[in-house]
Amino acid sequence: MFVFICILAFLASFSGSAMFKMTYVSPEMKKYTVDWSEEIGKTYTNLSYGEKPANRFDLYVPADSTKETYGLIVYLHAGGFTSGDKADDAKMLQWLCSLGYVTAGINYTLFGEANPDANIYTQSMEIKESIPYVIDEAARLGYAIDRMAVSGGSAGGCLALIYAYRDASESPVPVKMVFEGVGPSSFYPEDWKCYGLDQSREAAAGLFSVMTGKAIPPELFGTPEYDELVKDTSALYWVNENTVPTVMAYGKYDTFQPFEGSVRLDEKLTEYHVPHEYIVFEHSGHGLQNDNKQMVAYSEAILEYLDRYMAN
């Protein structure tokens, strides 16, 4: 029964959590928004990349179509793997497009009663399969893509890290960087205190089995066999000396995914000398809502890394 309660608590709270966006835009953050118009760019919505109902993406292209090549920025939506939509990130995608990039928001099949077999792994594979379609559609519209960045918030941040770390070597164009906020990057029961999983291996095994789509016996925790089971859904395990530059933001008081996981990720990126910015929101939870200065710092770090790694 405790296992079932933990799973329900996660799904209810994470899917209902702050969708990694703030309804109030502080004066400091207004410079990271844009009043979208055809003078800035054009939007193409609900383009298909597969046969499943959720296999759709929105594409934003800059008004200036004269460049020989363009960088692509993909932003993956939040929602606890159970809710959310690409349209939720329209303002972010419009702002990034106004900087001269082709941008895309991508939907993926959400876990729920209608799709009980969906999980982080199947969602990550849909994202992987979508990228060639996004690039081909951009080319059809006259925007040749030769490099990309991947990004997202919360569940989308998790999926962005997986693509950037696990799948970059198979990307149709080079992945130059990743930026994300509050995305889970690993599944250590001792980190997931917010759901009491440090107190029950059975509950941890039940929740992680749902999330990863793998049957995880509780006795495997702490073994190489467990690491192998969760590797395909844990960005942390893919970090090496070739990992792409990373900008990441995490709330110290996050109760929807473990802050401790971000500490592990920072340590691993440091160990392999991967260029990265680890921005801790000292007074915030999952929504990063209480640290305006840190939000500005995160936005500025994104711009700095885009200039450094995504420039022509």
Side-chain angles (χ1 to χ4, degrees):
M1 176 61 70
F2 183 58
V3 176
F4 181 68
I5 291 173
C6 283
I7 294 173
L8 285 181
F10 173 80
L11 296 178
S13 61
F14 209 160
S15 64
S17 69
M19 298 284 287
F20 194 65
K21 51 181 59 66
M22 295 162 28
T23 55
Y24 168 72
V25 179
S26 68
E28 301 95 328
M29 290 300 296
K30 288 190 182 297
K31 66 176 287 188
Y32 310 107
T33 63
V34 66
D35 293 325
W36 186 250
S37 70
E38 290 196 357
E39 293 181 356
I40 297 173
K42 189 171 183 179
T43 308
Y44 298 86
T45 60
N46 289 321
L47 303 169
S48 175
Y49 71 85
E51 297 181 358
K52 297 178 181 178
N55 293 164
R56 299 290 183 270
F57 65 95
D58 293 346
L59 196 64
Y60 300 76
V61 297
D64 179 5
S65 59
T66 63
K67 296 180 182 178
E68 185 174 337
T69 61
Y70 291 80
L72 168 69
I73 302 176
V74 168
Y75 195 92
L76 304 174
H77 70 77
F81 310 103
T82 66
S83 65
D85 187 87
K86 53 188 170 47
D88 299 333
D89 302 308
K91 291 189 179 298
M92 168 70 80
L93 291 160
Q94 290 166 357
W95 171 62
L96 292 168
C97 184
S98 76
L99 303 177
Y101 299 101
V102 173
T103 62
I106 302 171
N107 276 359
Y108 44 89
T109 301
L110 302 170
F111 172 79
E113 186 175 344
N115 302 294
D117 295 327
N119 52 65
I120 297 175
Y121 177 71
T122 62
Q123 291 166 350
S124 74
M125 293 305 294
E126 289 184 17
I127 297 302
K128 181 179 179 180
E129 292 162 5
S130 74
I131 301 302
Y133 288 88
V134 174
I135 292 172
D136 287 348
E137 182 62 24
R140 190 186 70 80
L141 294 170
Y143 299 82
I145 303 298
D146 67 349
R147 62 201 183 281
M148 69 175 287
V150 60
S151 54
S154 191
C158 171
L159 295 170
L161 287 171
I162 290 171
Y163 187 84
Y165 294 179
R166 188 194 72 190
D167 299 328
S169 63
E170 299 177 60
S171 175
V173 297
V175 179
K176 296 294 188 178
M177 60 171 285
V178 58
F179 61 92
E180 62 88 23
V182 297
S185 62
S186 58
F187 299 96
Y188 290 87
E190 58 268 32
D191 291 349
W192 289 72
K193 300 178 182 69
C194 44
Y195 298 98
L197 301 187
D198 58 321
Q199 301 298 315
S200 171
R201 286 179 167 244
E202 290 75 16
L207 178 57
F208 296 166
S209 293
V210 171
M211 295 176 71
T212 64
K214 303 283 184 68
I216 298 175
E219 61 270 16
L220 286 187
F221 285 125
T223 68
E225 290 82 2
Y226 173 72
D227 294 346
E228 195 61 34
L229 278 175
V230 300
K231 183 177 181 180
D232 280 338
T233 51
S234 301
L236 181 74
Y237 291 103
W238 296 90
V239 175
N240 58 41
E241 62 276 3
N242 298 316
T243 295
V244 299
T246 301
V247 178
M248 56 189 192
Y250 287 88
K252 195 168 184 178
Y253 293 96
D254 197 333
T255 59
F256 298 111
Q257 70 87 40
F259 174 74
E260 292 84 352
S262 70
V263 176
R264 289 183 189 270
L265 183 56
D266 173 51
E267 291 174 347
K268 195 72 171 289
L269 292 169
T270 301
E271 176 187 350
Y272 282 97
H273 306 287
V274 176
H276 71 286
E277 294 290 331
Y278 175 45
I279 301 170
V280 176
F281 287 57
E282 295 284 350
H283 309 96
S284 295
H286 196 64
L288 305 182
Q289 68 276 22
N290 298 325
D291 294 274
N292 284 347
K293 289 184 178 179
Q294 292 303 86
M295 185 61 78
V296 170
Y298 176 50
S299 302
E300 285 297 312
I302 292 170
L303 289 174
E304 178 188 343
Y305 271 56
L306 287 173
D307 286 344
R308 188 184 306 174
Y309 299 108
M310 285 284 286
N312 276 324

